Amino acid sequence: MELMLPVVRADLKLVETYAYQPLGSLLTMPITAFTGIDDVDIPLVDVIEWQKLTQNKFSYYELSGDHFFVHQMGYEICGVINQQLC
């Protein structure tokens, strides 16, 4: 508990105090976003909003799972990242 409580508190503070700050200019690198098909916390429309932050290519992938899909889909995510980098 001593080890994890400060981490959890810091995470909660970040979530409570975060305010989006618009970029001065658009990013020049491509953005690839991931979402879980069954994610009820982050709708797909919010994931697609990342497109507005780049003047380069944007792509997104819907993978099986909920908000924590990354725990089950690591192999697939790494495959997409590898494909994007090559």
Side-chain angles (χ1 to χ4, degrees):
M1 198 65 159
E2 279 182 46
L3 186 61
M4 292 305 296
L5 195 53
V7 174
V8 172
R9 282 188 177 139
D11 286 350
L12 292 175
K13 183 176 182 179
L14 179 66
V15 169
E16 290 174 356
T17 60
Y18 174 77
Y20 173 72
Q21 302 269 332
L23 297 172
S25 59
L26 294 177
L27 299 171
T28 58
M29 75 276 297
I31 295 176
T32 302
F34 297 91
T35 187
I37 291 171
D38 300 318
D39 188 343
V40 296
D41 297 316
I42 310 294
L44 180 59
V45 67
D46 287 354
V47 174
I48 294 172
E49 286 287 308
W50 282 93
Q51 182 175 15
K52 294 179 180 177
L53 299 178
T54 185
Q55 58 185 334
N56 206 312
K57 179 183 172 189
F58 172 80
S59 56
Y60 70 92
Y61 294 84
E62 295 180 272
L63 301 173
S64 297
D66 58 16
H67 189 69
F68 298 100
F69 70 94
V70 296
H71 297 292
Q72 294 83 29
M73 302 302 291
Y75 183 79
E76 290 80 0
I77 293 169
C78 287
V80 170
I81 292 170
N82 187 46
Q83 179 185 25
Q84 295 288 325
L85 292 175
C86 292

